[in-house]
Structure formats: C-alpha cells, structure tokens
Amino acid sequence: MSGVEEFGSGQEAANDYRVLAFGRLLGAANRLEHLLGRDLEEEFGISHSIFELLLLAGRAGSQGIPVRDIAQARVLTSGGATRLVQRASALGLIERENSASDARIQLIRLSAHGEDLLLRASTRHVENIERHLLNLLSPGEAEVFSAAVKKISKHAARELPIMP
C-alpha cells in the first residue's frame, strides 16, 4: 500500500484526516452546487450543467469549442456531452457548426440569447459564490484557497483519462 499503513478498524479509517479532508471537500462542493444550481434553475430556468456549458462556450469565444472538449471539461462521455449540447440548443442558448478544417468536429458557440443569459446568470452566480464561499474566508484565505483548488484541479485533469 505504497507507504501508507493499513488501518486497524473501520472507525480508524473513517476518521483518518485524509479521508475526512476529501469527504469535506466533496460535501462542500455538492452542497454548494445544489445551492447555486437551485438558484440558477429558479432565477433563469437553466441547470448548473447548462450554465457550465455556457461558461465553456463563453471562454472559447467566436472560435467555438468542440463537443469532445466539452465532454473532457465536464467529465462526461461524448454521448452525455452531445445530450447537454442538444438541450442547450433546444433552448436557443448555443449555435452548432461543423469545423471548417474537419467536418466531423462540431463547434459550439454562444447564441446572442445564450450570451445575454450567461451575463445575467453570471452576475447572480458571483453574488452567490461570494455569499456562500468567499465571504466566509479572509482575503488571504480566499487567495490561498483559490490557488490550492486550481492546483488540485489541474492535477486531477492531467490524471483523468480521455473521456469516451
């Protein structure tokens, strides 16, 4: 077990500081996603998954983002990403176009309606992030937290296999 001693009991394993730290991270992320996602749904009629898709398309700008990159970024299968794109397209939030260099690649861009919704929803989302996360921390803690989460996320992304 690569340098980690085996646990003597289930209670010992469950109370290990590493297990607790990861559990708290997941718990906090799940609770925050529920709170912030519920608000996006109530205020703007979109799921958190659709909002994340709009953010990815917004980051890509006018060049668009391939569906396979959406799948990888959201940790979805290609079929899951396709269904997400179809839902956003049905709502008129994105536009799809085949890549000029490879017609097999579909590029996703924000529609004018999608950009408008993204701007309004992002303002509300940032208010909620500040209220439920950042305002609980001192400015120094928020900076350290942000850097640590970025480091962890980048490492996990590098370790993640290519999504099917």
Side-chain angles (χ1 to χ4, degrees):
M1 224 185 181
S2 69
V4 176
E5 292 187 31
E6 290 193 31
F7 296 105
S9 70
Q11 185 176 24
E12 183 183 345
N15 287 307
D16 181 81
Y17 76 95
R18 295 158 292 195
V19 172
L20 288 171
F22 185 69
R24 288 174 181 140
L25 176 66
L26 286 180
N30 290 337
R31 289 176 191 101
L32 287 169
E33 183 172 25
H34 177 78
L35 288 170
L36 277 61
R38 181 182 63 194
D39 192 65
L40 288 170
E41 184 80 42
E42 289 172 358
E43 288 296 317
F44 302 100
I46 59 171
S47 67
H48 190 253
S49 293
I50 294 285
F51 180 69
E52 289 287 329
L53 170 63
L54 297 179
L55 290 171
L56 289 169
R59 282 185 200 111
S62 62
Q63 73 184 44
I65 182 171
V67 174
R68 73 172 183 274
D69 291 358
I70 293 167
Q72 196 66 29
R74 294 290 301 137
V75 192
L76 297 168
T77 63
S78 59
T82 298
R83 286 187 295 278
L84 182 62
V85 164
Q86 288 170 338
R87 286 196 313 268
S89 181
L91 294 170
L93 300 172
I94 55 139
E95 298 169 348
R96 299 182 280 185
E97 181 181 316
N98 290 337
S99 167
S101 61
D102 186 342
R104 296 171 296 174
I105 297 174
Q106 195 172 65
L107 298 174
I108 307 305
R109 293 179 188 86
L110 289 174
S111 66
H113 174 55
E115 177 132 12
D116 175 65
L117 182 63
L118 177 59
L119 295 174
R120 291 184 293 114
S122 292
T123 299
R124 179 62 173 251
H125 195 59
V126 166
E127 290 171 355
N128 284 326
I129 290 168
E130 288 178 349
R131 186 175 80 197
H132 294 294
L133 177 64
L134 298 178
N135 289 347
L136 303 175
L137 306 172
S138 71
E141 287 172 327
E143 190 175 319
V144 169
F145 175 77
S146 180
V149 169
K150 181 179 179 180
K151 185 176 187 178
I152 292 165
S153 181
K154 283 187 172 203
H155 172 76
R158 283 191 304 272
E159 295 292 318
L160 193 67
I162 301 298
M163 298 307 294

